[in-house]
Structure formats: C-alpha cells, structure tokens
Amino acid sequence: MSEALFRLENTWHPIEGDEGGGFVFVLVNLSDKAFSGFKLAYTSLTRVKADPRCENASFLRRHANFHQFAPPEGFVLAPGASWRFTVRDLWRPAHHRTDGAKSAYVTFQDGSHAAVSVDDLLLEGYSPPAPARLLPEGEVKESFFLLPWPAEMTLTAGESLPAALYPVAGTLVDDLKALQVVNGLHRRLFSAAPAIFALTPHSHGLPLVFQSETHLQADAYRLTFAEAVVLAYGGSAGRQYGLTALAQLLHGARQDARFRFPVSGHIADHPRYGWRGCHLDVSRQFYPAGDVSRLIDILAWLKLNVFHWHLTDDEAWRLEIKAFPQLTEIGACRGPDEPLLPQLGNGADPVRGYYTQEEVRHIVAHAGRLHIDVVPEIDIPGHSTATLVALPELTDGQEAPDSYRSIQGYPNNALNPAVEWTYTFLGQVFDEMVQLFPSKILHVGGDEVAANTWMGSPLALASMEKHGLDGTFGLQSHFMKRVQEMLRARGRELAGWDEVSHGGGVDPNGTVLMAWQKPEVGLDLARQGYDVVMTPGQAYYLDMVQDDAWQEPGTSWAGTVRPEHTYTYEAVAEFPPALKPRLRGVQACIWSEHFLNRDYFNHLVFPRLPAIAEAAWTPKDRKDWLRFAALAPLSPRY
C-alpha cells in the first residue's frame, strides 16, 4: 500500500430545506512539496446527485460510489496547508459514521496517483456517547453451553470434566472419521484450546458409543449421558450435529465456570428448518479462500447448513471461468487506471482478487465434509457492470451508454436479454459451474433491475414487440424463463431474490426465492407457489446498524436491526398453515460494502449470526433471549 501523502477529513451537517444535508471535506498536505492542478477522488455510499452544488471545488464526475473533484483554477496546496470545500445535493442524509468517504486518492497532472488517508465520517456538533450495549448481561438458567439450543434436553451437571471423549473398541471407521472431522473443526476455531476427542482410550476420559438408528431423521441425533456417552443418529448430518453438541458442551465448560458437563440425562434434537443459511458477498470486498473456509467452519459450529456464495456483482466478478478469462483478468480488478474504477474503500493502489477453480473445489469439498451445501450465485441480469466491462460484446451497440442507471448509480448495468450471445455466454458459464458446485441449486440473482432498463435498446424493444412482452419486467421474466430451462437442462434448480417473481416470474416448481425487501414479501411468494427462504433486511441483513447512535457502523436503509430483534424475529409468523410447507428456512446475509476490515466484520456479524442460527434450529418455545445473551459471547469469531 502506498504511503499516504495526504489526509482527508470529512464531516456531514444538516442544511435547512435540503433533506440530504452536505459534506465538508478538508484535504491536508502531509508532504514537503506544494501541489497544484491535481484532482481528488473518494468513494462513498452517500452519493451526490448529477450536478451537485460545491463551494471552493469543481465537480468532475461520479460513477456509482466513485466521486471526483478539483480545486479552483490556480489553487496551490502548500506543505502542511489544507484545501476545504463543501458539497451538497446528496441523495440522502448521512446517519452513521460509515456513511462518508471510505477511501480517497489524489491524481496529479502527470496522471500519477497518491494515497490519501481517510477515517470515518464526523457529524458537525456531535460528541459521541459511550457505546451502546448490544447484549444484556444474560442469564444462565441451565449450566450447559449449547448454541443453538436443542429441541429437547434434560441434563444433570457434573462437578468434574472428562479429559477427552473417546470411542469404544469396535467403533466403525466412518464414525471415527466423523469424530475426527469435528475434532479438526474445534481445533481450527479454538486453536489454543485442549482437544475435545481422542481416538484411543484415556484414563480420565469418557467413552463414546455410536449408534445408527434408522427411525431418526437424517439430521437428528440423541445423546444419552451416563458411565458412557451414547450418540444415536439418523444420518451422517445428525452424527455431526451430535458430535458438535458434545464439543460445545465440553469446550464451554472448560472456558467458563458457569458451565458444566453432564453426568446424566439426555438430549433429543433436530433442526427447525431444513435451510439454515448464510450468504457472503465477495464482490464488493474480496475474502481470500482461507477466510471463506474460516467462515464455513463457523457456520458448521453453529449447525448452519447452506453457504450462499455471492460471486459476482457490479463491483467485481470473482469466479474463474476458463472459457472467459477476461471475467477475472478485467472484471476482478478495480483501480484508478483500470476499466473498473475504485469503489467502496479502494484508493490509489489497484485491488484484485478472484477464486481459482482449484480453490473453489477445495472450499466446496471442505464445506461438504461439514454437511454444508455451497450454493453459488452469479447475479444476473442486473448487477452486471463487471461482466459487461470485461465482455462488451454482450451489449447492444445501438443503445446509448447511459440510458438508465441502477439504484447504486451504475449506468447500463444489466445483461441484455435481446442479445442472443448472452445465452451462449451464460451456457458456457453454467457448464463450468455445475462441474465445480455439486449443489442442485444455482442462484441467479434477479434483483434490483431498474424500472427503465433496456428501454433505450433497439434490440430489446424489438424483442418485446416480437414476444408480446410488457416493459422491463416482462422482458426480465422472459430472460429468467430461458435461464431456468438452461439450468434444468444441466440438472439444476433456480434460486433467486424475490424480484425473480416480477413481470410474470418463472415456473415456481422447484424454484427457491429469497424474500429480502420486507417480511410480507415471503408470504406473497408462497401464495404464488414459490418455495421461500426468509432473509428480510429488517431482521437478517448483517450490514445493518445495530443501534441508532451516529458512532454505530453499518447501513440503515432497512432500519436499525438490534440483536434482540434478529433473535426474536419469527419468519413463519404470518404464514397460514397451508403455506407453511413453502417456507424452506431462513438465512443471514452478509453484504460487504461496509466491511473494510475484520473488526467491522466481527462487530456487525456477531452476535447476530449466532442469533439467526438459533432461530433456524431451535423451536420457538425453546428460545430464550437472556440465555442467548449469556452464551453468544463464547461463539467463535471471524
């Protein structure tokens, strides 16, 4: 990373009669040279309108979250001096410290760039209070660490702890392998903690007996505690969940004096929902393969079983496709001199990153060993700026280059359903994806296509007339139906965001749609015959702020999502009995616009990810907010 020669400080202030308020920027020259004729670029989710009013600066351009300004003609920024300018006509007011500039850089007259240090947004006249307490003290009513809490449990606490749990003689090799998988999971998550399981008898250990019982459902288990621990399981998933429960019980008792290991009693357990998911957006920010595997380990510890991998978006294409190397050679890099401009925290240095097919196979295999299904997503037809920059032949050359803009401010960012080569391209992408991802579900996005998309494309208008289609969403439905048939031909079912249902939708048979905009959307989708995964931003989007205070990081378009609301939210609440079978389950979504570092990630994702895990597993009448508040701080973090 380049050394910062400048510092940018940014403050937001309200303006009477202007709902968006305004920014004050101050650029400080930390070098020993004077500069003139330069330009300042910054990235911010609080975007300016098309022709913002400025004082002491000229607005040059905006592309989505990228903004560029210049000082007045003849201005010289001397060493130690500063350039102050103001900007108004913002699309929305700032509400939190992460709503300002995330990164910045200076471009000199010779085209070179210099790094600019920038911190979170300040609020004029604001003195931050003590941070909000996101969890209460909590209350341990039963002295056992289990998260998620089981469906049924009657246990007696012991006074001592076994040194390890070990399998009895004659244990089958498949059971030994399963035990070792959970041993490895615990070791990766808690590398300084003593091992939970041994593979051979230990003088101060406790024997473990495995029993396969076909009458139990595949993901159910039963634990009985006495002179030995008996783990009965219905299938390999149930066996893993039972071993994970044992690992949690012993690990928790070792880490916190409030918890004990059982000497008698039983646990009878199975999940509430079949789909217990977590989504990760790797387009806005790139997560190395090892970090993705770490998150998958955390999901396994929490008994979540779906990893929804959001691999493409406007900001980057992250999946190696051998038929189209341009997708990652061009579409996975952002920088001042790259085809994709800096966004969401990028500065003077180019940033790049994608997953090779070898890395994908490793991650998918790792998840599979932990009974986690990896559902890949390429987001189409919208959110495709990176794709279209890498493969401009996918555009209608007769369409004006800025005939519509997405809600994030990207011009002409959707694949054109009337360009026939679009389907050839997607077919080759799908051919490679089905070789990489064994999941029977492939997610194709379908969200946030602007209402006037393609209306300036002669090819699209001709296609609409030929097929009798009504507007943007009629054309999107036509596109999605073709995509659905392409997936079916490859043995895959279509998943998408709730907008896939617009304009006529697709065949609901075998289709899974995710209700994200608001909770009542899920019920409407179920009425239309779609299977539904509930992931409303108002409860399950983990980039949302957790408190109203300015100092709380995150975004707030869906409101303030406190951990207690995430925990207590009931996805099935409005579903009548006849439609409840349509509810596949629930899912957390980790959108990465605000996750510039690991600390932000941990602050926003925890404790809400464990809260969703318990909501996905534990029956409503077994949930307890104060118990959860006591247990959640012991969960592993990213």
Side-chain angles (χ1 to χ4, degrees):
M1 181 178 292
S2 305
E3 180 182 0
L5 299 178
F6 303 88
R7 175 178 173 83
L8 181 67
E9 298 190 346
N10 60 142
T11 305
W12 182 85
H13 61 100
I15 299 174
E16 187 175 353
D18 185 341
E19 183 182 356
F23 283 135
V24 176
F25 292 103
V26 180
L27 180 70
V28 182
N29 183 0
L30 299 174
S31 77
D32 56 4
K33 295 174 59 179
F35 296 98
S36 63
F38 60 87
K39 295 176 283 190
L40 170 70
Y42 69 84
T43 69
S44 173
L45 282 163
T46 305
R47 295 179 288 272
V48 302
K49 295 180 180 178
D51 189 20
R53 286 168 284 179
C54 310
E55 291 183 5
N56 203 33
S58 298
F59 171 67
L60 301 179
R61 58 174 171 158
R62 175 176 75 83
H63 184 83
N65 307 292
F66 172 91
H67 302 71
Q68 194 172 50
F69 294 82
E73 187 75 24
F75 177 83
V76 176
L77 186 58
S82 61
W83 166 41
R84 182 185 186 276
F85 67 99
T86 65
V87 180
R88 56 186 299 179
D89 298 315
L90 310 178
W91 277 110
R92 61 176 178 84
H95 295 289
H96 296 274
R97 63 185 172 107
T98 44
D99 284 340
K102 293 188 175 300
S103 61
Y105 65 90
V106 163
T107 300
F108 301 115
Q109 287 178 304
D110 64 359
S112 63
H113 312 286
V116 174
S117 168
V118 60
D119 288 324
D120 286 342
L121 183 66
L122 300 175
L123 175 61
E124 186 179 85
Y126 176 80
S127 179
R133 187 180 181 93
L134 299 177
L135 285 175
E137 186 67 31
E139 182 179 353
V140 176
K141 299 174 183 175
E142 297 182 71
S143 54
F144 305 103
F145 182 88
L146 286 164
L147 205 169
W149 200 250
E152 179 186 329
M153 184 177 81
T154 303
L155 297 176
T156 300
E159 294 301 319
S160 61
L161 300 177
L165 304 174
Y166 64 87
V168 297
T171 297
L172 299 176
V173 67
D174 283 350
D175 293 331
L176 294 176
K177 289 179 179 178
L179 187 151
Q180 187 59 15
V181 165
V182 177
N183 220 17
L185 173 66
H186 176 262
R187 184 171 60 250
R188 291 190 300 274
L189 292 175
F190 307 101
S191 56
I196 298 293
F197 301 107
L199 293 182
T200 56
H202 192 288
S203 59
H204 295 287
L206 191 62
L208 175 60
V209 179
F210 290 87
Q211 291 181 356
S212 175
E213 297 189 4
T214 56
H215 69 277
L216 292 175
Q217 63 189 56
D219 51 6
Y221 69 91
R222 188 178 67 247
L223 289 167
T224 305
F225 297 86
E227 296 300 316
V229 177
V230 178
L231 168 56
Y233 58 87
S236 57
R239 176 175 58 196
Q240 177 183 295
Y241 299 145
L243 289 169
T244 304
L246 286 172
Q248 289 186 355
L249 283 165
L250 186 50
H251 176 81
R254 287 170 171 172
Q255 300 301 311
D256 191 312
R258 294 175 297 173
F259 303 114
R260 298 285 187 269
F261 192 82
V263 291
S264 64
H266 76 279
I267 297 172
D269 202 12
H270 57 86
R272 182 180 187 185
Y273 294 119
W275 186 298
R276 305 180 304 281
C278 179
H279 151 290
L280 179 67
D281 160 28
V282 299
S283 179
R284 277 55 179 262
Q285 311 293 344
F286 180 69
Y287 300 76
D291 289 355
V292 175
S293 294
R294 168 76 180 183
L295 178 60
I296 287 171
D297 281 342
I298 294 171
L299 304 188
W301 185 253
L302 297 172
K303 300 190 178 79
L304 295 166
N305 68 339
V306 177
F307 175 55
H308 173 178
W309 203 357
H310 186 86
L311 289 159
T312 74
D313 215 296
D314 287 307
E315 290 80 4
W317 180 290
R318 301 296 191 188
L319 173 65
E320 180 189 21
I321 299 295
K322 294 186 182 297
F324 302 104
Q326 312 96 301
L327 289 170
T328 46
E329 290 171 356
I330 298 172
C333 181
R334 302 195 296 260
D337 301 313
E338 302 295 332
L340 290 172
L341 287 170
Q343 301 286 347
L344 301 170
N346 311 141
D349 296 323
V351 294
R352 64 185 72 242
Y354 68 91
Y355 305 98
T356 67
Q357 294 197 358
E358 181 180 357
E359 287 175 321
V360 169
R361 289 189 182 94
H362 175 80
I363 289 169
V364 169
H366 176 70
R369 285 190 291 271
L370 296 169
H371 292 277
I372 292 173
D373 186 26
V374 178
V375 173
E377 179 186 354
I378 59 164
D379 200 348
I380 56 175
H383 287 283
S384 293
T385 296
T387 309
L388 295 168
V389 168
L391 297 170
E393 56 267 43
L394 287 167
T395 62
D396 177 358
Q398 305 171 84
E399 185 178 14
D402 198 351
S403 61
Y404 63 89
R405 288 196 172 227
S406 73
I407 193 171
Q408 288 83 14
Y410 283 96
N412 293 26
N413 74 328
L415 298 181
N416 194 321
V419 174
E420 191 60 28
W421 196 68
T422 296
Y423 305 98
T424 303
F425 160 70
L426 289 174
Q428 292 179 263
V429 170
F430 293 153
D431 285 342
E432 295 193 30
M433 291 182 72
V434 298
Q435 296 300 315
L436 295 170
F437 299 97
S439 175
K440 291 302 180 185
I441 296 173
L442 201 155
H443 199 294
V444 292
D447 61 313
E448 294 188 325
V449 173
N452 61 336
T453 298
W454 308 306
M455 294 301 99
S457 163
L459 286 176
L461 294 175
S463 178
M464 290 167 59
E465 183 176 359
K466 176 182 177 181
H467 297 287
L469 304 173
D470 183 18
T472 292
F473 299 113
L475 189 55
Q476 175 176 307
S477 173
H478 176 76
F479 169 81
M480 281 296 181
K481 286 172 181 172
R482 283 192 66 173
V483 167
Q484 184 175 50
E485 290 307 312
M486 294 169 69
L487 294 179
R488 284 175 171 170
R490 291 162 174 81
R492 297 296 186 270
E493 296 180 349
L494 182 149
W497 303 105
D498 55 55
E499 295 99 319
V500 169
S501 66
H502 291 179
V506 298
D507 180 3
N509 184 35
T511 300
V512 179
L513 296 187
M514 297 182 174
W516 69 273
Q517 296 187 72
K518 49 187 177 180
E520 50 266 38
V521 169
L523 179 58
D524 185 54
L525 293 173
R527 289 191 180 115
Q528 296 177 52
Y530 294 104
D531 282 357
V532 180
V533 172
M534 293 295 291
T535 179
Q538 296 79 4
Y540 288 166
Y541 268 35
L542 302 188
D543 56 326
M544 293 296 129
V545 293
Q546 299 177 87
D547 186 76
D548 295 333
W550 177 271
Q551 287 301 103
E552 186 65 26
T555 194
S556 56
W557 65 260
T560 299
V561 183
R562 292 180 170 84
E564 183 174 7
H565 175 64
T566 298
Y567 182 80
T568 57
Y569 170 73
E570 278 293 306
V572 76
E574 303 302 322
F575 280 65
L579 291 179
K580 286 183 179 180
R582 290 283 179 205
L583 179 58
R584 288 270 195 107
V586 300
Q587 178 170 292
C589 280
I590 301 173
W591 296 102
S592 295
E593 286 92 338
H594 291 287
F595 293 168
L596 301 187
N597 55 56
R598 192 172 291 261
D599 286 340
Y600 270 169
F601 187 102
N602 281 326
H603 179 82
L604 284 159
V605 171
F606 302 98
R608 292 184 296 184
L609 180 60
I612 295 169
E614 185 146 302
W617 183 281
T618 307
K620 178 183 178 181
D621 61 1
R622 296 282 288 165
K623 291 164 66 177
D624 184 316
W625 166 240
L626 289 179
R627 180 195 65 224
F628 173 81
L631 301 179
L634 289 182
S635 292
R637 292 200 161 202
Y638 187 67

